[in-house]
């Protein structure tokens, strides 16, 4: 994720016309699906651990909903045209509002998790939930090319970016939310396999199924017909979705094997980044892009770096994010009251600056 943003933001433009960048773009294109998949997997873990608390709408459920609202607010706040409520209230520029309402990965995560949590609370039976969201995910995947091609120009400014990339959205719900749904389904099945003591065999089967998913999806692309008008493999086609999903799952199978080995040698870097992913995501974006802030990598360097310089900057930023994640995780673990106090102070300061500026 960090490497993707560094390269996309800072690499000199003439290098982006070469085949090396196109290959790198395909590989980097697996980052967002992985992020979404893991968010769905985390939902399955959370629901499995606190099933009754969620179903009975106890305090834990409302704290989770509160966290989803927080993620949604953070997602939109990263695209504020001004960090000032007064300026925002008098803003009439449609393009600026389009930028604000664009759907980024945090909005897709929050909205999809809202929907899946609602489904869980309504249905209440795990096996039925898995079947329902499986069908829901398939509908999203196979309808995505049609949904994204519709005309939304007469829709409300805040609503149309949910369905199409035409209004600056990088991650509209169709088909991106299906990656999160896939993670939730696999998460439920993985937990069941662990409880049954067949985790290792389950992971092996998942790897085999993922491999054949990729083969079948690529084979379908060579069929002499298409059910979609103006078919484009690279733009929300089901074939491309299943290729990426298969590659994501295969990579996670590899990470599972790594984590099994790592258990005997100490804490994993991947686990730490996973636990503090929201903090790392927001802070590294602010450092690279700045948005409404005066300093950022893109303002300081511009698109002037070669691959070696981008890699060097990527390692420096990743190391900085690791130490930030480590310190914050350590504080929450050792002194949760102080950590919560720090959170409230930062949030209060941000809200005050936003409302008074």
């Amino acid at each position: 994720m960090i490497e993707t943003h560094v390269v996309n933001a800072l690499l000199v433009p003439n290098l982006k016309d070469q085949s090396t960048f196109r290959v790198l773009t395909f590989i980097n294109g697996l980052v967002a699906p992985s992020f979404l998949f893991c968010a769905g997997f985390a939902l399955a873990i959370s629901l499995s651990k606190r099933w009754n608390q969620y179903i009975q709408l106890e305090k834990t459920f409302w704290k989770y909903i509160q966290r989803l609202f927080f993620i949604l607010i953070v997602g939109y706040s990263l695209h504020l045209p001004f960090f000032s409520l007064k300026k925002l209230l008098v803003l009439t520029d449609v393009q600026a509002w389009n930028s604000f309402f664009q759907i980024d990965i945090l909005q897709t995560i929050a909205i999809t998790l809202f929907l899946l949590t609602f489904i869980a609370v309504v249905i209440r039976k795990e096996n039925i939930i898995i079947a329902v969201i499986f069908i829901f995910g398939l509908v999203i995947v196979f309808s995505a090319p049609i949904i994204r091609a519709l005309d939304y120009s007469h829709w409300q400014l805040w609503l149309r970016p949910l369905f199409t990339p035409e209004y600056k959205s990088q991650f509209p719900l169709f088909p991106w939310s299906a990656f999160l749904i896939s993670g939730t389904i696999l998460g439920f099945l993985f937990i069941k396999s662990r409880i049954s003591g067949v985790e290792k065999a389950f992971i092996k089967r998942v790897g085999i199924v993922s491999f054949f998913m990729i083969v079948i999806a690529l084979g379908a692309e060579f069929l002499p017909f298409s059910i979609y008008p103006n078919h484009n493999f690279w733009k929300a086609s089901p074939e491309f979705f299943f290729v990426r999903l298969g590659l994501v799952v295969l990579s996670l199978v590899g990470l599972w094997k790594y984590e099994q080995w790592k258990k005997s040698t100490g804490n994993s870097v991947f686990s730490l980044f996973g636990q503090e992913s929201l903090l790392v995501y927001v802070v590294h974006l602010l450092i690279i892009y700045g948005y409404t802030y005066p300093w950022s990598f893109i303002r300081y360097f511009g698109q002037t770096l070669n691959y070696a310089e981008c890699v060097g900057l990527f390692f420096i930023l990743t190391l900085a994010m690791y130490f930030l994640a480590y310190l914050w995780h350590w504080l929450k673990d050792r002194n949760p009251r102080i950590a919560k106090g720090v959170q409230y102070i930062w949030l209060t300061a941000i809200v005050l600056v936003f409302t008074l500026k």
Side-chain angles (χ1 to χ4, degrees):
M1 180 176 62
I2 296 173
E3 176 270 324
T4 299
H5 290 142
V6 167
V7 171
N8 288 348
L10 306 177
L11 188 68
V12 65
N14 62 1
L15 291 177
K16 293 183 178 181
D17 296 327
Q18 299 177 4
S19 57
T20 302
F21 181 75
R22 288 193 286 271
V23 172
L24 184 62
T25 297
F26 176 78
I27 296 171
N28 288 343
L30 299 175
V31 172
S34 300
F35 201 20
L36 289 161
F37 186 94
C38 291
F41 203 103
L43 173 64
I45 294 172
S46 182
L47 283 172
S48 297
K49 284 184 176 180
R50 306 173 183 87
W51 184 261
N52 289 330
Q53 296 173 37
Y54 277 73
I55 298 305
Q56 301 301 325
L57 305 184
E58 295 181 5
K59 185 178 179 181
T60 302
F61 168 81
W62 294 111
K63 286 181 71 174
Y64 183 73
I65 295 298
Q66 182 181 356
R67 179 170 175 79
L68 293 185
F69 271 114
F70 176 72
I71 293 172
L72 193 63
I73 291 169
V74 170
Y76 279 114
S77 67
L78 288 172
H79 297 287
L80 283 168
F82 316 103
F83 196 71
S84 168
L85 180 60
K86 294 177 183 178
K87 291 182 180 180
L88 203 62
L89 291 174
V90 296
L91 180 65
T92 58
D93 184 355
V94 174
Q95 291 302 316
W97 280 114
N98 279 335
S99 295
F100 173 70
F101 284 122
Q102 67 178 279
I103 299 300
D104 213 337
I105 198 163
L106 291 184
Q107 290 95 315
T108 298
I109 287 173
I111 292 168
T112 310
L113 290 177
F114 271 126
L115 290 172
L116 296 183
T117 306
F118 175 76
I119 290 171
V121 169
V122 170
I123 294 178
R124 294 171 172 262
K125 293 184 178 180
E126 188 174 306
N127 289 334
I128 299 177
I129 289 169
I130 294 173
V132 169
I133 65 174
F134 177 76
I135 295 170
F136 185 37
L138 288 179
V139 169
I140 290 172
V141 171
F142 286 101
S143 65
I146 298 170
I147 295 294
R148 287 171 57 141
L150 296 176
D151 179 18
Y152 297 94
S153 58
H154 59 288
W155 287 38
Q156 293 293 321
L157 276 175
W158 64 270
L159 188 58
R160 58 195 187 187
L162 293 169
F163 302 97
T164 175
E166 295 300 318
Y167 299 94
K168 298 188 176 182
S169 290
Q170 296 187 59
F171 303 99
L173 298 179
F174 292 78
W176 290 97
S177 59
F179 287 110
L180 193 149
I181 292 169
S182 301
T184 305
I185 294 169
L186 193 66
F188 275 125
L189 297 178
F190 173 79
I191 292 166
K192 283 187 174 184
S193 73
R194 172 169 282 189
I195 293 172
S196 303
V198 293
E199 178 182 338
K200 192 172 182 178
F202 172 77
I203 291 294
K204 184 178 180 179
R205 288 197 299 271
V206 166
I208 294 171
V209 170
S210 299
F211 174 77
F212 282 105
M213 182 193 304
I214 295 169
V215 173
I216 293 170
L218 290 174
E221 182 61 21
F222 292 98
L223 292 175
F225 61 88
S226 174
I227 62 173
Y228 301 103
N230 303 317
H231 174 74
N232 187 322
F233 176 80
W234 303 101
K235 291 185 178 180
S237 74
E239 298 96 316
F240 190 34
F241 172 85
F242 286 114
V243 168
R244 286 189 292 182
L245 178 61
L247 291 172
V248 166
V249 176
L250 284 176
S251 67
L252 292 175
V253 168
L255 285 172
W256 177 87
K257 294 180 180 295
Y258 167 80
E259 291 293 335
Q260 299 306 301
W261 168 76
K262 195 64 179 176
K263 280 181 180 178
S264 61
T265 60
N267 293 327
S268 167
V269 172
F270 296 109
S271 296
L272 178 62
F273 273 128
Q275 290 166 339
E276 305 301 340
S277 58
L278 181 60
L279 174 67
V280 171
Y281 180 81
V282 172
V283 173
H284 98 275
L285 282 181
L286 292 175
I287 291 173
I288 294 172
Y289 294 104
Y291 300 110
T292 58
Y293 302 97
W295 187 92
S296 64
F297 280 172
I298 200 167
R299 291 189 180 96
Y300 184 79
F301 295 106
Q303 293 186 325
T304 62
L305 305 186
N306 57 35
Y307 280 113
E309 291 167 331
C310 283
V311 169
L313 200 59
F314 153 66
F315 277 115
I316 292 170
L317 185 55
T318 302
L319 190 61
M321 291 301 97
Y322 174 79
F323 281 116
L324 175 64
Y326 179 84
L327 289 172
W328 180 239
H329 191 75
W330 176 86
L331 182 61
K332 289 194 300 181
D333 185 53
R334 295 296 181 90
N335 222 316
R337 287 187 177 181
I338 293 178
K340 190 167 289 187
V342 171
Q343 279 183 312
Y344 285 134
I345 290 170
W346 268 104
L347 287 174
T348 302
I350 290 170
V351 171
L352 285 175
V353 171
F354 177 65
T355 54
L356 298 177
K357 187 175 179 181

